[in-house]
Amino acid sequence: TYPYLFRTVGSDLNQARALIRLYKHFNWAHTAILAVNDGYSMLISDEFVDLAFSNQITVLANELLPSGASATSIQSALNRIRYSGAFII
């Protein structure tokens, strides 16, 4: 075992860029976002939305859930995404 463990996480911008590259690789032109309404999720979601727009990727739905959202709230968000025309994978 190791006496110390250090974990790093890429910046939100780099993660969003990686997601855009994935979308472009698979020729995905539309998407929906389901994220928790907290500092971490909001930053990467905002970065992704900005990059998606500049890369001609349409965000059909952008659903933000509060931390600890109820099952009903989650289901409602998923239904809005489903009816937006986005595929859920």
Side-chain angles (χ1 to χ4, degrees), residues 12-78:
D12 295 328
L13 180 57
N14 285 338
Q15 290 182 60
R17 285 178 178 158
L19 285 170
I20 294 297
R21 288 182 65 189
L22 182 71
Y23 275 67
K24 291 183 110 18
H25 174 79
F26 287 106
N27 295 316
W28 293 338
H30 302 89
T31 192
I33 297 170
L34 177 62
V36 176
N37 191 4
D38 64 11
Y40 176 74
S41 299
M42 293 295 297
L43 292 174
I44 192 167
S45 177
D46 290 345
E47 291 285 0
F48 180 81
V49 169
D50 291 344
L51 287 173
F53 179 77
S54 64
N55 282 276
Q56 294 77 45
I57 297 170
T58 303
V59 177
L60 298 172
N62 190 355
E63 295 294 328
L64 301 173
L65 295 171
S67 182
S70 68
T72 303
S73 296
I74 295 168
Q75 188 60 53
S76 295
L78 289 174

